[in-house]
Structure formats: structure tokens, C-alpha cells
């Protein structure tokens, strides 16, 4: 058991014992800063729908998600999956939420601005891809690079099916609520949009869970998973609205999680 609390000087260190020596490790106030920058730069390379110099031009601009009534939303934007060109609402919401939390806990102004820039990429995709009735672009399958050509007969356009899932709606609600405080001074219009859709998604999440709605892709709801993130969304909304009704829901869901 090694205690490094006596080391106060920032720098790279190694441990040597007999003829064995470790690789260098960092002792610093923020030893993870390098990995944060690498992750941010990697996310930027994964962006969809915009020109990324040295990687690709604006892509998938003619791709969309369709609901059961035939309505469509454009689903370009956000980030491509690291393994292929697909996108998933779950991953986008989780990443946008993580970035928003990270930005709030970052003191370096330049780094914080860069994190906020990337968080907005994910939040904008969540805002763009809702049908405002519980349905969302859920799993977007591109699989290949496409010409941004929209033919009259729509042939050759990638169309994904939207679905209504309480887990996905709670994920989006939590992520967007977390962005409200983050952007309220820099971009109050954007923050207001995030709050409106967050409240909306939370209501659809509640209603969907109550009525046993679930997506075909992921199957029946798992109480601990759906309620667990319902708690997160409720708490995030309470922090920005101070509406104690969200705490009541959080308590209700917490009781369910504790019984699992």
C-alpha cells in the first residue's frame, strides 16, 4: 500500500525497486487532462453532418427517421459510432450528459469552452430528433458514406424507424436538463429550448413507463434501469426548476430501485 499524499510537486514519477521500474505516471491537480483532450478530439472526428477537415465532408444530410404516421425528422448530426457510421440515442444522451457534467467541474476556461462545444453537438441532436410525442430517432443505421442527394422517389435515402421508449426519454431529459445551467448565460435561448424538451421528455418517460411502453429494439422495460435513470432525470430537472414534484417522482422510483 503506497501513500503519495506527501508528494506536493507536480510532475512525472516512477517507482523503482531492486531491478524493476514502473512506467512514468503523473502527479498533478488534474492528471486526466490529457485523456480529456484526446477524448474531445476523437469525438470531433466522429461528428456527423458537418465538414471535418482531413476526415470527411458534411455527410448523411439526406438521412431521416420516420414515425408511424409517416412524419420525418433529419437525423444527421451528433456523433458516428466508433465502430461504424451508425448512431444511437442512448449513447448520444449519455455522452452529452457526461460532457455537461465535466464542463461544470472544469476550472480551465479554454478546456471548459471546448467541452461545452462538444456537449452542444450531442444536445442539438437530441433536440432535433424528437417528434414531441414520445417518439425519437432511436437507432440510426447508415453503415456507409452517402451522397447528399434527395431523389423524388426517396430511393437511396437512409430511413430509420423512430420509437417511443421511457428509458430513452429519461436519458434525453437528464442530458438536456444538465445543459440548462451550463448554457443559460452563454446562450439563454438554447438553454430554454433544452429545458422545454427536457420537461417534455420526462413526461413521456413517466407515461411510457406507467403504460408499459417499450421499444422493439431493446425489449421490455427493466425496472431498475428505467427507474434508475428516471431518478437522475427528475433530480436534474429539480436542480434547474426547484419544482418539488420532480422529487416526489424521484422518491417513487427510488423505492422501486431499492426493491430490485
Amino acid at each position: 500500500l503506497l501513500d503519495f499524499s506527501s508528494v506536493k510537486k507536480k510532475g512525472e514519477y516512477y517507482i523503482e525497486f531492486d531491478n524493476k521500474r514502473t512506467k512514468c505516471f503523473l502527479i498533478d491537480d488534474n492528471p486526466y487532462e490529457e485523456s480529456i483532450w484526446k477524448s474531445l478530439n476523437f469525438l470531433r472526428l466522429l461528428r456527423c453532418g458537418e465538414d471535418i477537415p482531413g476526415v470527411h465532408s458534411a455527410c448523411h444530410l439526406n438521412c431521416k427517421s420516420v414515425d408511424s404516421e409517416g412524419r420525418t425528422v433529419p437525423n444527421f448530426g451528433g456523433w458516428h459510432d466508433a465502430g461504424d457510421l451508425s448512431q444511437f440515442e442512448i449513447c448520444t444522451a449519455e455522452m452529452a450528459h457526461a460532457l455537461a457534467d465535466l464542463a461544470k467541474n472544469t476550472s480551465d476556461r479554454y478546456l471548459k469552452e471546448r467541452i461545452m462545444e462538444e456537449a452542444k453537438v450531442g444536445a442539438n441532436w437530441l433536440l432535433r430528433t424528437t417528434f414531441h410525442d414520445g417518439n425519437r430517432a432511436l437507432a440510426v443505421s447508415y453503415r456507409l458514406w452517402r451522397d447528399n442527394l434527395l431523389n423524388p422517389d426517396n430511393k437511396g435515402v437512409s430511413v430509420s424507424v423512430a420509437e417511443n421508449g421511457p428509458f430513452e426519454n429519461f436519458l434525453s431529459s437528464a442530458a438536456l436538463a444538465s445543459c440548462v445551467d451550463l448554457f443559460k448565460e452563454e446562450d439563454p435561448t438554447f438553454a430554454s429550448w433544452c429545458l422545454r424538451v427536457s420537461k417534455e421528455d420526462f413526461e413521456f418517460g413517466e407515461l411510457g413507463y406507467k403504460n408499459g411502453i417499450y421499444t422493439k429494439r431493446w425489449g421490455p422495460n427493466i425496472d431498475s434501469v428505467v427507474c434508475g435513470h428516471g431518478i437522475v432525470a427528475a433530480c436534474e430537472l429539480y436542480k434547474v426548476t426547484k419544482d418539488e414534484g420532480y422529487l416526489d417522482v424521484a422518491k417513487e422510483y427510488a423505492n422501486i430501485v431499492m426493491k430490485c
Side-chain angles (χ1 to χ4, degrees), residues 144-188:
L144 71 164
W145 301 108
R146 292 181 172 276
D147 291 331
N148 296 316
L149 183 67
L150 188 61
N151 292 312
D153 59 1
N154 281 346
K155 287 184 178 179
V157 175
S158 178
V159 179
S160 300
V161 177
E163 288 197 73
N164 182 356
F167 178 57
E168 289 79 6
N169 280 313
F170 281 144
L171 279 166
S172 176
S173 176
L176 294 175
S178 185
C179 288
V180 175
D181 272 344
L182 184 61
F183 288 98
K184 67 181 181 182
E185 293 184 6
E186 179 190 90
D187 192 343

Side-chain angles (χ1 to χ4, degrees), residues 2-252:
L2 303 178
D3 182 359
F4 295 93
S5 56
S6 62
V7 181
K8 302 299 182 184
K9 186 178 179 181
K10 296 180 181 179
E12 288 191 344
Y13 294 80
Y14 62 87
I15 301 170
E16 188 170 17
F17 182 76
D18 289 341
N19 62 342
K20 296 180 180 179
R21 175 171 164 173
T22 69
K23 292 182 179 180
C24 289
F25 56 89
L26 188 65
I27 293 182
D28 199 322
D29 291 334
N30 185 2
Y32 300 108
E33 183 173 354
E34 183 178 346
S35 65
I36 292 172
W37 278 110
K38 288 179 179 179
S39 298
L40 289 169
N41 290 333
F42 182 54
L43 278 175
R44 183 176 176 277
L45 297 181
L46 295 177
R47 287 187 194 179
C48 172
E50 61 178 277
D51 179 65
I52 307 299
V55 182
H56 62 74
S57 58
C59 55
H60 302 111
L61 300 181
N62 58 353
C63 298
K64 56 192 178 181
S65 289
V66 59
D67 70 359
S68 58
E69 297 179 20
R71 300 179 300 168
T72 63
V73 294
N75 53 28
F76 64 86
W79 306 284
H80 293 138
D81 186 87
D84 54 32
L85 302 179
S86 62
Q87 286 199 64
F88 297 93
E89 190 268 1
I90 292 174
C91 306
T92 302
E94 288 179 333
M95 185 57 70
H97 196 172
L99 288 166
D101 281 348
L102 181 61
K104 293 174 189 176
N105 290 283
T106 300
S107 57
D108 183 296
R109 181 178 176 182
Y110 181 56
L111 177 57
K112 182 174 182 177
E113 289 176 352
R114 179 65 186 89
I115 298 169
M116 289 174 67
E117 175 193 1
E118 212 62 42
K120 205 170 189 179
V121 171
N124 266 320
W125 191 86
L126 295 171
L127 294 168
R128 182 189 302 123
T129 54
T130 176
F131 287 83
H132 302 287
D133 61 358
N135 285 285
R136 289 187 144 278
L138 180 67
V140 177
S141 298
Y142 300 136
R143 293 195 179 92
L144 71 164
W145 301 108
R146 292 181 172 276
D147 291 331
N148 296 316
L149 183 67
L150 188 61
N151 292 312
D153 59 1
N154 281 346
K155 287 184 178 179
V157 175
S158 178
V159 179
S160 300
V161 177
E163 288 197 73
N164 182 356
F167 178 57
E168 289 79 6
N169 280 313
F170 281 144
L171 279 166
S172 176
S173 176
L176 294 175
S178 185
C179 288
V180 175
D181 272 344
L182 184 61
F183 288 98
K184 67 181 181 182
E185 293 184 6
E186 179 190 90
D187 192 343
T189 301
F190 179 75
S192 177
W193 187 15
C194 286
L195 182 58
R196 290 198 307 273
V197 177
S198 175
K199 289 179 176 179
E200 183 179 280
D201 285 341
F202 188 81
E203 291 179 7
F204 291 129
E206 274 193 289
L207 188 63
Y209 179 64
K210 180 180 179 181
N211 293 329
I213 295 173
Y214 58 87
T215 64
K216 293 180 181 178
R217 183 176 186 89
W218 305 119
N221 296 317
I222 301 171
D223 291 333
S224 59
V225 173
V226 179
C227 292
H229 222 84
I231 296 167
V232 176
C235 290
E236 291 285 9
L237 276 167
Y238 172 73
K239 284 191 285 188
V240 295
T241 65
K242 304 306 179 187
D243 183 346
E244 295 197 359
Y246 290 116
L247 291 185
D248 293 335
V249 178
K251 291 175 184 176
E252 176 189 342

